[in-house]
Amino acid sequence: MNKHSQARTSLAIHAIRATSLATLCLAALLAAGCASYTITPEMQARAAAENPAPPKDADFPALDSAKWQQGAFPSIEALRAMHTGMGKDQVRGLLGYPHFSEGLAGVREWNYIFHFRTGAGPAYITCQYMVRYNADVLTNGMYWKGPGCADLLKPAPVAARPAAVIQSSPAKTTTLGADGLFRFDGRSLADLLPEGRRKLDALASDIKASAQPVDAVRVTGHTDRLGSASYNQALSLARAETVRDYLVQAGVPAQRVQVQGRGESEPKVQCAQTSRAALIDCLAPNRRVEIEVSAGR
């Protein structure tokens, strides 16, 4: 074979290899459900408002059909960060790739096998977790299969301070409507509205100016019943944590502030409107953050 023939053969081999590599990369991207797109507030609002019916246990895939049957031990904080309106890349960043073969393009559902330690040696419980996507390819529902699995995301109860340690005067509770505190579906410091910041500034000033030393400041987040229970639990806790962070930045002692999220479990009103807009308005009192201040004597 002369030099020209060898050169042509080498180029052909390189072209075949490059084509094969590109094909494999494309297949990997499709299998992973990759998509490059911008997530807008309007898309997130649609995802939060859809509230689809939750799946039945029979809708979850059989465990022995998983591609990665070992499952994973996920981060509780990563699961708490899950909410509606997230893209597939964002979900993958928190939870990794789905454990089942979900298909190629247009996938609207990801399934996982998650294990959680019981505290008794190496023992653990196994739960299935489903993430569903809407037509915009944003999350619009997260669901659990397994007894007590959704409860694993609830924060540990705050230990009560023994009465013998300190006597406290009656606690003063301030209730702030979440709609006036945060932008729609917001939960971070960047999502606080100007009016909400003014209210928190005034509250921080009152706490710092208290004639009696502050014993504890308990911040509790609440949501309405729209959306999944796991989403509402995560949202209520995130909003309580944001209020805590703001109060601490305003000078309230961090060691005095406790936070908890109660999700939709403690509603103030019950509503049965058939119009979604009217239902959202009626449920407004349930979307709130309560700040309970206890001062010592």
Side-chain angles (χ1 to χ4, degrees):
M1 182 181 295
N2 59 36
K3 292 183 179 180
H4 292 295
S5 297
Q6 289 178 338
R8 285 195 298 270
T9 302
S10 178
L11 287 172
I13 292 173
H14 283 299
I16 292 171
R17 287 177 177 173
T19 301
S20 300
L21 181 59
T23 302
L24 287 173
C25 290
L26 177 60
L29 287 171
L30 289 173
C34 292
S36 178
Y37 54 91
T38 299
I39 299 174
T40 66
E42 292 76 17
M43 293 165 64
Q44 292 179 317
R46 280 197 297 271
E50 286 170 346
N51 195 27
K56 298 180 176 62
D57 283 357
D59 295 328
F60 286 80
L63 287 174
D64 59 7
S65 68
K67 185 176 181 180
W68 290 282
Q69 294 189 13
Q70 291 184 7
F73 290 86
S75 161
I76 293 293
E77 293 307 314
L79 286 166
R80 286 174 178 164
M82 289 288 297
H83 60 86
T84 57
M86 296 176 65
K88 288 186 174 180
D89 289 340
Q90 294 170 329
V91 174
R92 189 182 303 109
L94 288 172
L95 306 181
Y97 290 91
H99 297 151
F100 294 77
S101 297
E102 307 288 3
L104 299 177
V107 174
R108 299 281 287 272
E109 181 180 302
W110 280 4
N111 285 276
Y112 294 86
I113 303 170
F114 288 146
H115 309 300
F116 300 92
R117 298 291 182 190
T118 64
Y124 59 83
I125 62 172
T126 296
C127 301
Q128 286 184 252
Y129 187 69
M130 178 189 294
V131 181
R132 282 183 170 172
Y133 299 90
N134 66 2
D136 292 323
V137 200
L138 298 185
T139 55
N140 67 348
M142 289 74 67
Y143 312 97
W144 289 97
K145 178 185 178 183
C149 290
D151 294 337
L152 293 169
L153 301 190
K154 293 182 179 179
V158 178
R161 183 184 295 272
V165 173
I166 186 171
Q167 290 183 331
S168 299
S169 58
K172 177 184 177 182
T173 300
T174 300
T175 300
L176 301 177
D179 293 355
L181 276 177
F182 295 92
R183 285 196 284 265
F184 176 78
D185 202 36
R187 64 189 68 197
S188 68
L189 286 170
D191 295 322
L192 282 171
L193 297 169
E195 180 62 23
R197 291 175 180 270
R198 286 192 288 270
K199 291 179 179 178
L200 292 178
D201 286 336
L203 179 61
S205 296
D206 289 345
I207 293 173
K208 291 185 293 182
S210 174
Q212 297 172 322
V214 172
D215 173 33
V217 179
R218 179 173 296 181
V219 183
T220 305
H222 301 269
T223 69
D224 60 27
R225 60 180 170 81
L226 301 178
S228 68
S230 59
Y231 169 70
N232 289 335
Q233 175 61 38
L235 177 63
S236 66
L237 179 61
R239 285 179 168 174
E241 291 173 338
T242 294
V243 169
R244 173 202 59 197
D245 294 344
Y246 192 93
L247 293 176
V248 169
Q249 289 180 10
V252 176
Q255 67 273 19
R256 299 295 186 196
V257 187
Q258 306 164 346
V259 298
Q260 60 181 347
R262 303 298 296 165
E264 61 192 71
S265 63
E266 297 179 3
K268 282 187 171 293
V269 298
Q270 299 291 341
C271 303
Q273 282 78 355
T274 55
S275 164
R276 184 171 181 83
L279 179 61
I280 290 173
D281 288 341
C282 178
L283 292 172
N286 296 341
R287 302 187 293 272
R288 66 197 190 277
V289 178
E290 295 175 344
I291 302 96
E292 182 182 289
V293 180
S294 301
R297 288 194 295 221

